[in-house]
Amino acid sequence: MLPDGDGFSLIREFRQHSDVPVLILSACDADDDRLLGLGLGADDYLTKPFLPRELILRINNILKRVYGSNQPALERDSLLLGDILIDFSSGLIHSGKTEKSLTAKEFAILKKLSENRGNIVTADSICQAAWEDGYYGYENTLMVHIRRLREKIEKDPSHPQYLLTVRGMGYKLAKDS
Amino acid sequence: MLPDGDGFSLIREFRQHSDVPVLILSACDADDDRLLGLGLGADDYLTKPFLPRELILRINNILKRVYGSNQPALERDSLLLGDILIDFSSGLIHSGKTEKSLTAKEFAILKKLSENRGNIVTADSICQAAWEDGYYGYENTLMVHIRRLREKIEKDPSHPQYLLTVRGMGYKLAKDS
DNA sequence: GATAAAATTAAGGTAAAAGTAAGGATAGCG
DNA sequence: CGCTATCCTTACTTTTACCTTAATTTTATC
C-alpha cells in the first residue's frame, strides 16, 4: 500500500544487499501478510494499533541482538570531580594521565558519598555501608580512610574542596560547581 | 501461570546468566504482560492462538540474528594483551612463535574477565561463570587457576601487568594501554 | 581561650591472596 | 578394561597489601 510499490518487494530487494534490521509497521494484520513479511527476513511485524512502548521495546531488543554489547552502562557508574574522574566499575581514579586505584574500603566509602552527593552523610551511615558487621567503633578508622581518599582526589588534601567535613555530623561530597 | 512460579521471574533470573534467546508463548495477551516480557529481555512474545508457521518464522529470525552469519566471530572472540594473543575459538595462546593451550576452567575464567575487561569482576561472579553448579567454596581453587593463567599470559607471573587482583573485591583485566 | 571534634602520622596487626605440592578425578587410548 | 596423561581440587605455608590502632597535633565552635 505504499505510493510507489509494495513494501514486500522493497524488503526483498533490500535484504539482498543489507543485513540492517527491519521492523514492519503495518495497517494489515492479515495472517498472510505477516507470514510473508517475516519470511522475507523482517525482524519483527507489528500491526496498528500498537502500544508505543511495545514498539520501543521491540526495537531495543532487535538492536541489542544485532549490535550486541548489552553491557549495563558503565558510564553512569562514575563520578566527576573537577578534572578528575572516578570510575567505580574499574575502581580507578583518572586525573590527567595518571591513574590511581581505590582500595576496597575507600571504594565503599566514596561510593556511599557519591550516591548522596551534595547531601550530608553521617559517619554512622558511612560506616554502615563500609562495614557490614557491627558498624560501631570505626569512626577513627573512617577518618584515616577519608584522609587517604583526600590524598587521592584533592589537590590540597588538608584543604579539601570536594570531600568536605561537616563538623558534628559527618561528611559530604560537594555538588558539582 | 506455571505450576511452580511465574514465567517472568524465571526469565529475569535466566537473563542474569545467559544470553540464550527467549521467545514467550503465552495464553495472556494483556498489554502489560507483553510489555513486561519484552522489557525483561525476551526476544519475542506470541499469544495463543498463533499460526504455527508464524512461530517457525519468528524462531528462525531470532536464530539468524543470534547465531547468524553476520558475526565477525574471530575479532570479537579474541583478546590481545600486549604482544600475546588469546584466541577463544581455538583456545590457544599465541605469543611470538610459541603456542600454549587453555584448559577448560582457565578458558571460562579468562573469558569472563575478557568480557568485562577493564572492570572489576568479583570472585563470586567468576565462580558463577566457571562452575555452573553451586559456585561456592571454589575461591581457593579459583586462585590456583588464576596463578596458572598468570604463568601462561604474564611475563612475570608474580608481578602481573594484565591479570590484576583487586584485594577484597576480585580480579580485573587491565585495559589495553 | 577552653574544649571537643577532626586531622595527621607512623607503626603494627591481620586477613586476603600468593605460592606450592600432592592427591584425585577424568578422558583418551591402547 | 586398565593404563596414562592431563587437568582439577585440596590443603597447607608464606607473603603482602590493606586496615586498624594509638598517640599527637590542629582546627572549629562556644
Side-chain angles (χ1 to χ4, degrees):
Chain A
M1 293 186 293
L2 296 175
D4 58 346
D6 76 298
F8 295 127
S9 24
L10 178 66
I11 293 176
R12 200 190 334 259
E13 190 161 337
F14 188 66
R15 263 282 168 274
Q16 310 208 333
H17 315 298
S18 171
D19 260 344
V20 167
V22 171
L23 186 151
I24 301 178
L25 212 52
S26 167
C28 323
D29 75 341
D31 289 341
D32 285 348
D33 285 352
R34 213 161 58 238
L35 292 182
L36 185 52
L38 291 170
L40 287 176
D43 290 84
D44 214 331
Y45 191 105
L46 267 180
T47 51
K48 303 175 192 173
F50 58 88
L51 297 170
R53 190 153 166 64
E54 175 165 9
L55 174 62
I56 301 285
L57 284 172
R58 286 189 179 271
I59 291 177
N60 275 341
N61 283 340
I62 293 173
L63 289 178
K64 214 185 297 171
R65 280 299 178 207
V66 178
Y67 301 110
S69 164
N70 51 348
Q71 300 267 353
L74 312 167
E75 336 292 348
R76 196 131 306 150
D77 209 12
S78 64
L79 172 65
L80 188 65
L81 300 174
D83 54 358
I84 77 171
L85 173 75
I86 293 103
D87 177 10
F88 288 110
S89 50
S90 66
L92 289 176
I93 302 174
H94 304 270
S95 68
K97 288 180 180 174
T98 61
E99 267 186 3
K100 296 166 194 168
S101 63
L102 288 167
T103 69
K105 285 281 176 287
E106 287 162 7
F107 185 103
I109 293 167
L110 190 53
K111 191 91 196 288
K112 180 70 182 175
L113 286 165
S114 168
E115 282 162 0
N116 298 77
R117 185 166 185 182
N119 302 326
I120 299 173
V121 187
T122 65
D124 269 7
S125 74
I126 298 178
C127 290
Q128 213 168 125
W131 288 271
E132 301 295 332
D133 64 314
Y135 43 88
Y136 27 73
Y138 284 105
E139 286 82 18
N140 188 359
T141 308
L142 173 61
M143 269 180 219
V144 178
H145 287 298
I146 293 283
R147 165 69 181 178
R148 300 247 173 80
L149 271 171
R150 281 175 173 158
E151 278 169 356
K152 289 183 181 179
I153 66 178
E154 298 280 0
K155 297 231 159 62
D156 179 358
S158 295
H159 301 93
Q161 53 177 320
Y162 302 119
L163 210 174
L164 309 175
T165 118
V166 184
R167 186 167 262 247
M169 313 200 74
Y171 296 90
K172 76 169 177 187
L173 259 191
K175 233 171 191 149
D176 52 348
S177 46
Chain B
M1 291 185 294
L2 296 176
D4 58 345
D6 76 296
F8 294 128
S9 25
L10 178 66
I11 293 176
R12 200 193 328 261
E13 192 162 336
F14 188 67
R15 263 284 169 273
Q16 309 205 334
H17 314 300
S18 173
D19 261 343
V20 167
V22 171
L23 187 151
I24 300 178
L25 212 53
S26 168
C28 323
D29 75 341
D31 289 341
D32 285 349
D33 284 353
R34 213 163 56 241
L35 292 182
L36 184 53
L38 291 170
L40 288 175
D43 291 84
D44 213 332
Y45 191 104
L46 268 182
T47 51
K48 303 174 192 172
F50 57 88
L51 298 169
R53 189 151 165 66
E54 175 166 11
L55 175 60
I56 302 285
L57 284 173
R58 285 189 179 271
I59 290 177
N60 276 341
N61 281 339
I62 294 173
L63 289 178
K64 213 186 300 167
R65 280 301 176 202
V66 180
Y67 303 109
S69 52
N70 57 345
Q71 301 249 10
L74 262 173
E75 338 285 348
R76 185 157 308 150
D77 224 12
S78 66
L79 172 65
L80 189 65
L81 300 174
D83 53 358
I84 77 172
L85 173 75
I86 293 102
D87 177 10
F88 288 112
S89 49
S90 68
L92 289 176
I93 301 175
H94 304 271
S95 68
K97 289 179 181 174
T98 61
E99 262 186 9
K100 297 166 194 167
S101 64
L102 287 168
T103 70
K105 286 283 176 284
E106 286 162 7
F107 184 99
I109 293 166
L110 191 54
K111 191 89 197 289
K112 179 71 181 174
L113 286 165
S114 168
E115 283 162 0
N116 298 75
R117 185 165 186 182
N119 300 329
I120 299 172
V121 187
T122 65
D124 269 7
S125 73
I126 299 178
C127 289
Q128 213 168 122
W131 288 273
E132 300 297 331
D133 65 313
Y135 43 87
Y136 25 73
Y138 284 105
E139 285 82 19
N140 189 359
T141 308
L142 173 61
M143 270 180 217
V144 178
H145 286 299
I146 292 282
R147 166 71 182 176
R148 301 251 170 76
L149 271 171
R150 281 174 174 158
E151 279 168 357
K152 289 183 181 178
I153 66 178
E154 298 281 358
K155 299 231 159 62
D156 179 358
S158 295
H159 301 93
Q161 52 177 321
Y162 301 118
L163 210 175
L164 309 176
T165 119
V166 184
R167 188 167 262 246
M169 312 191 80
Y171 296 89
K172 76 171 174 186
L173 259 192
K175 239 177 187 139
D176 52 348
S177 47

